[in-house]
Amino acid sequence: MPDPDLADLDAFVAVARARSFRGAARLKGMSASALSEALRRLEARLGSRLLNRTTRSVTPTEAGAQLLERIAPAIREIGSALEAVNGSPDVPAGTLRLNAPTVVARHILPSIVSRFLLAHPRISLEVENNDSFIDVLAEGFDAGIRYEESVERDMVAVPIGPRMQRYVLAASPAYLAARGVPEHPRDLLAHACIRHRFASRVTAQWEFERDGETIRIVPSGQLIATSAELEAQAAIAGLGLICTFEEYLAEGLATGALVPLLEDWLPPFSGPRLYYAQRQHMPPPLRAFIDFIKVDNG
């Protein structure tokens, strides 16, 4: 059996990740029919079906999922090596792919990204929001950004953005006038709370800590959402209490539309970290970004 063509393997990885021929075609800058033909050749050479295709979805078969897990990092490394050869050693060039939580992508990365790209005009940056912990290399990213408790131990991690952040519990003055001001985390069980649900379908608990005591609350209320901005607006409208990153509530707190509560029960925590696998040949765009944020963080 002849060895599969590298371009066909690359096409398979693109379609398997995008779960769509059209979506992969947009990302690759080629036609969906060309990708389909590449998949047909690859499956014929391997003698195994790699993707289940319906009119609504494209999903890897068991064999396809196993192949994707094994070859996706290798395809990425080959691309990085080619970019390194094509670029000048003194002027890093190529594409940097990052995966970051929504709060980081919206409130921390914008100023960092703008200054980095202005300083490195030959680097392109792709940022994807994801609030779940994923295998960044298997998913085709050069690095991820997560909080300390979510960073795998075999990864290298460096701080990015603020060294400390905090959650804020808050409510509108109108809500507090009608329902009273909670004096202790357990009081929240008698209050309407605006809840956040992650993409994993898990609804967030609220955690409070003071003097070595930790209290976890399972909040209840009318609204469950996946959008922190929607939740903040609901709190301003008086629908209930909200507990989330301070960044999402900053405007409401500054104008008095929201009032902070139980502040001594919500200590600050370590800010986000950029994490990546240690490798002998690091892609030049990633090396440039790491050097940039190290200088940026002082």
Side-chain angles (χ1 to χ4, degrees):
M1 179 185 71
D3 292 335
D5 188 274
L6 181 61
D8 291 349
L9 289 169
D10 185 49
F12 161 69
V13 171
V15 175
R17 283 192 188 134
R19 302 295 178 100
S20 163
F21 280 90
R22 288 185 179 179
R26 285 194 298 270
L27 292 174
K28 300 295 292 181
M30 56 193 300
S31 69
S33 61
L35 288 173
S36 181
E37 178 61 21
L39 262 294
R40 186 197 63 76
R41 287 194 303 268
L42 182 61
E43 289 178 331
R45 285 174 179 168
L46 297 178
S48 180
R49 190 171 184 83
L50 301 176
L51 297 174
N52 290 317
R53 307 159 174 87
T54 71
T55 56
R56 295 188 176 182
S57 67
V58 176
T59 57
T61 63
E62 183 178 355
Q66 292 175 355
L67 180 63
L68 178 65
E69 183 180 0
R70 296 291 297 274
I71 70 168
I75 292 290
R76 178 70 192 124
E77 285 295 324
I78 291 170
S80 297
L82 293 175
E83 288 177 347
V85 170
N86 289 333
S88 163
D90 299 323
V91 184
T95 301
L96 173 64
R97 297 175 178 88
L98 300 179
N99 185 282
T102 304
V103 65
V104 173
R106 293 182 182 176
H107 294 280
I108 294 173
L109 279 183
S111 65
I112 296 173
V113 162
S114 298
R115 289 181 282 110
F116 172 72
L117 292 178
L118 287 171
H120 296 87
R122 296 184 61 189
I123 293 178
S124 298
L125 178 63
E126 297 177 10
V127 179
E128 182 174 309
N129 296 19
N130 191 315
D131 290 322
S132 302
F133 188 76
I134 65 169
D135 184 334
V136 291
L137 293 181
E139 294 293 331
F141 297 98
D142 297 294
I145 300 173
R146 289 297 184 272
Y147 289 87
E148 190 170 10
E149 68 276 8
S150 299
V151 175
E152 293 183 359
R153 299 303 178 196
D154 60 347
M155 291 286 188
V156 181
V158 295
I160 181 171
R163 293 298 176 90
M164 304 298 292
Q165 287 180 269
R166 68 186 185 113
Y167 285 109
V168 171
L169 175 72
S172 70
Y175 175 88
L176 297 174
R179 298 289 298 272
V181 178
E183 302 293 338
H184 189 277
R186 293 190 185 90
D187 295 343
L188 303 181
L189 296 173
H191 280 266
C193 299
I194 298 165
R195 295 172 286 173
H196 181 79
R197 178 170 288 161
F198 297 105
S200 63
R201 307 299 296 169
V202 172
T203 301
Q205 294 185 355
W206 293 359
E207 184 174 302
F208 301 87
E209 181 182 345
R210 187 177 70 179
D211 299 331
E213 180 184 10
T214 299
I215 297 175
R216 293 179 179 86
I217 299 294
V218 179
S220 62
Q222 286 180 280
L223 178 63
I224 301 177
T226 58
S227 165
E229 288 84 358
L230 186 155
E231 296 158 26
Q233 289 303 312
I236 291 171
L239 193 62
L241 303 171
I242 185 171
C243 188
T244 188
F245 284 96
E246 182 179 20
E247 285 82 359
Y248 287 124
L249 306 180
E251 184 177 350
L253 294 168
T255 62
L258 290 173
V259 177
L261 305 164
L262 303 181
E263 293 181 88
D264 56 339
W265 280 94
L266 290 164
F269 53 85
S270 297
R273 293 168 179 253
L274 178 83
Y275 71 98
Y276 55 95
Q278 185 68 57
R279 13 184 168 171
Q280 185 176 0
H281 301 293
M282 184 178 291
L286 177 58
R287 177 76 270 166
F289 190 68
I290 293 168
D291 291 342
F292 181 85
I293 63 172
K294 283 181 177 180
V295 172
D296 201 50
N297 283 332

